[in-house]
Amino acid sequence: MRHSSIAAVLFLLGIISLVCAGAYFSGDLRPALFGAQDESQVAGPGIFPFGQRRDPVPGLEEANAPMGSPPPLDWPSDSYKFLAVKGDGSPLTYSPCRPIHYVVNTDLAHASWQRLLEEAVKEASWASGLQFIYDGTTDEVPSNNRAGYQPDKYGNRWAPVLIAWTTPDVVPRLDGQTVGLGGSSSIALNNGYKAYVTGSVALDAPQFGEILDSPGGEAIGIAVIMHELGHLLGLDHVSDPEQLMFDEASWVRDYAAGDRAGLAKLGTGPCSKDF
């Protein structure tokens, strides 16, 4: 091959290399070469050490053993479902070695809210063995983007569970026949450990008031709160109409065998001083 031809080929290869390099560093070619980025690999909560994140001091109020235990089950039942499970198949839970603090926004609550809520919390605590502590009222309103750590409002700890009577204007998912919503937020540590640290329950104040004004309304109201506390602790809906966690309104007013079996498992998760 003539020297002029070799020089031309080398020049052309050089141009191609520069174009490829520019495309690579701009990100245009990387998906074609290596595949699109897997979003599951993006760092999330718990990937970085506590010193690099806005987290409370680990181990706050964590005892050396569970603070309570669920009662023995009268008969076995598998009529329950968990909202989230870990890689080993066990449910995501709160630590049983520390209490679950909660605050209440009562701005739109019925006058009897405290008696009803106390009864519902007592039943959820009894069935799960988890301990609850009432921290008083709050002006915080429910939010889809609620921060799990609010030191300016609640101090150097995970924000307490928020229980609020509200409206569909504030919580659009309460629109229609939905009377309540409940759920929790979790944290993942760099050692693979995951646990719930806080959560919220939102109750539709207008619908809740109508329930309380109906015959047997207080028992129904307590059952509604118990249902949402079941979600808060990690229970999902089930298709069994004999369970309180059934996904439609029913005659059930207490935790049934499946509900209790699920709550018992949620109350016996691992303890951890690391979060």
Side-chain angles (χ1 to χ4, degrees), residues 108 141-144 166-174:
L108 300 177
V141 296
S143 168
N144 286 336
T166 183
T167 68
D169 291 335
V170 178
V171 182
R173 288 178 59 202
L174 288 174

Side-chain angles (χ1 to χ4, degrees), residues 47-228:
I47 297 298
F48 302 105
F50 277 92
Q52 298 177 28
R53 302 184 346 216
R54 295 192 73 236
D55 286 329
V57 176
L60 186 65
E61 295 186 289
E62 184 82 7
N64 293 322
M67 302 179 70
S69 59
L73 300 176
D74 297 329
W75 56 83
S77 173
D78 60 359
S79 193
Y80 58 85
K81 185 179 178 182
F82 300 123
L83 284 169
V85 294
K86 296 178 286 189
D88 61 1
S90 62
L92 197 60
T93 68
Y94 281 90
S95 168
C97 298
R98 68 177 69 180
I100 299 173
H101 290 262
Y102 69 98
V103 292
V104 186
N105 185 320
T106 64
D107 288 350
L108 300 177
H110 191 273
S112 61
W113 72 267
Q114 189 164 10
R115 182 177 70 257
L116 305 182
L117 180 57
E118 286 178 352
E119 181 64 24
V121 169
K122 182 183 74 173
E123 292 298 321
S125 178
W126 173 79
S128 65
L130 297 170
Q131 304 300 299
F132 289 78
I133 294 180
Y134 173 50
D135 286 349
T137 59
T138 181
D139 60 359
E140 185 184 0
V141 296
S143 168
N144 286 336
N145 300 313
R146 184 181 188 238
Y149 180 43
Q150 303 180 46
D152 294 339
K153 194 172 192 66
Y154 298 115
N156 189 21
R157 58 170 177 159
W158 294 111
V161 166
L162 171 64
I163 300 176
W165 275 264
T166 183
T167 68
D169 291 335
V170 178
V171 182
R173 288 178 59 202
L174 288 174
D175 195 23
Q177 299 299 310
T178 303
V179 182
L181 296 167
S184 289
S185 300
S186 64
I187 185 171
L189 304 182
N190 55 8
N191 61 4
Y193 182 83
K194 291 185 69 175
Y196 291 130
V197 292
T198 188
S200 61
V201 169
L203 300 164
D204 186 328
Q207 287 196 72
F208 202 86
E210 292 177 4
I211 288 173
L212 295 182
D213 290 338
S214 65
E218 287 203 355
I220 300 173
I222 293 170
V224 168
I225 301 174
M226 289 171 60
H227 178 101
E228 300 311 327

